[in-house]
């Protein structure tokens, strides 16, 4: 699938970066990323010249104070937002070059997003929420339903398929959101404080689901302060004022 998106390198820098991506199994490459937000006459530089390489099957935690730019960085590397400067290669594709429609298709197939507030569609049942990305990807109804049932079982919600989001607890909603993120079997999983609103027991359950994704060799990046999740990481990036201040 991703081959379709590979565009001809345009200059020496592109050729070098693409070569680096291929030879080092880099799933996410960010080079000199900059993101500014303009509010009236003020400009906030949320991401300030960040360069980063994340390899296949890496489990990366991004931590840092509120306002550091963690969410902005995740949104950029997942193609939910576009930078003011710099380039991003994600799963071999230079996503900073893509038009919105191709970018949406890229995200659908390659990236699973998990948000702090679950972001389920309130009028759809748990099962329909999980089916939705597969519908967009063109799977037929039977395939969508079978995969959704199996994913909901996997997250321990086989008995809650017909529930609407408001009929589910916070932890159950997040489990549905995780099943949805896995629907199209993406290579990359990005999660923004996925356990921030959950109690300890539920957080541990979510931790185990991330551990399963790790065993599945997904490339995982999570913005979090949760020690349970941090324990799973093979790399911890400390982010402050839009910059990486520590990478260990
Ligand atoms: N849509 C936006 N418009 C304007 N400014 C924004 C926008 N989103 C973020 N910012 C600003 O960019 C900076 C980084 O925000 P971001 O949400 O990425 O931080 P964060 O590290 O995720 O914080 P938190 O831990 O509170 O979630 C902040 O100063 C914020 O006010
Ligand atoms: Mg945030």
């Amino acid at each position: 699938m991703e081959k379709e998106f590979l565009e001809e390198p345009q200059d020496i820098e592109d050729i070098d970066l693409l070569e680096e991506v291929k030879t080092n199994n880099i799933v996410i490459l960010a080079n000199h990323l900059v993101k500014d937000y303009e509010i009236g006459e003020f400009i906030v530089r949320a991401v300030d010249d960040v360069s980063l390489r994340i390899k296949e099957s890496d489990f990366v935690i991004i931590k840092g104070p509120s306002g550091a730019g963690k969410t902005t960085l995740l949104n950029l590397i997942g193609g939910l937002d576009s930078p003011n400067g710099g380039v991003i290669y994600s799963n071999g594709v230079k996503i900073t070059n893509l038009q919105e429609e191709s970018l949406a298709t890229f995200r659908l197939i390659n990236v699973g997003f998990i948000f702090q507030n679950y972001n389920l569609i309130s009028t759809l049942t748990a099962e329909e929420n999980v089916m939705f990305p597969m519908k967009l990807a063109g799977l037929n109804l039977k395939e969508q339903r079978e995969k959704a049932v199996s994913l909901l079982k996997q997250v321990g919600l086989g008995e809650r398929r017909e529930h609407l989001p408001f009929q589910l607890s916070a932890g159950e909603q997040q489990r549905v959101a995780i099943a949805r993120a896995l629907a199209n079997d993406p290579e990359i999983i990005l999660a923004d404080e996925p356990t921030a609103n959950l109690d300890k027991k539920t957080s541990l359950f979510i931790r185990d689901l991330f551990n399963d994704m790790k065993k599945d060799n997904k490339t995982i990046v999570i913005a979090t302060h949760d020690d349970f999740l941090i324990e799973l990481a093979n790399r911890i990036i400390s982010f402050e004022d839009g910059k990486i201040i520590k990478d260990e």
Side-chain angles (χ1 to χ4, degrees), residues 92-219:
V93 179
K94 187 177 179 182
I95 61 169
T96 22
N97 266 5
L98 297 179
Q99 299 296 317
E100 185 48 42
E101 203 178 319
S102 316
L103 192 56
T105 309
F106 173 84
R107 287 194 301 259
L108 189 65
I109 304 299
N110 294 278
V111 190
F113 287 97
I114 298 157
F115 302 92
Q116 182 172 347
N117 296 316
Y118 331 125
N119 291 4
L120 297 176
I121 301 173
S122 62
T123 52
L124 300 183
T125 64
E127 182 173 283
E128 289 163 348
N129 265 283
V130 180
M131 288 165 70
F132 195 63
M134 296 185 264
K135 177 183 173 171
L136 295 178
L139 269 66
N140 69 41
L141 207 55
K142 184 164 174 282
E143 292 168 323
Q144 294 171 31
R145 188 150 280 138
E146 280 173 7
K147 184 89 188 275
V149 167
S150 131
L151 283 166
L152 284 170
K153 274 190 194 145
Q154 205 177 310
V155 300
L157 292 177
E159 309 297 309
R160 297 281 191 282
R161 284 162 26 207
E162 300 304 322
H163 284 57
L164 288 162
F166 84 91
Q167 297 167 323
L168 295 167
S169 72
E172 288 167 347
Q173 288 184 59
Q174 190 60 302
R175 280 144 69 187
V176 174
I178 289 174
R180 179 185 58 182
L182 296 171
N184 288 325
D185 201 19
E187 165 101 19
I188 301 169
I189 299 289
L190 303 178
D192 194 4
E193 313 211 22
T195 53
N197 299 334
L198 305 176
D199 60 37
K200 184 174 170 185
K201 182 166 164 262
T202 313
S203 297
L204 286 171
F205 193 94
I206 301 290
R207 187 268 318 263
D208 293 342
L209 294 177
F210 278 106
N211 202 22
D212 293 341
M213 297 179 214
K214 180 177 167 175
K215 286 182 198 146
D216 249 5
N217 287 321
K218 303 278 185 203
T219 303

Side-chain angles (χ1 to χ4, degrees), residues 5 25 28 41 66 85 112 120-121 126 179-180 187 201 215 225 247:
F5 292 99
N25 282 337
I28 296 161
E41 57 193 296
S66 181
L120 297 176
I121 301 173
R180 179 185 58 182
E187 165 101 19
K201 182 166 164 262
K215 286 182 198 146
H225 296 278
D247 191 341

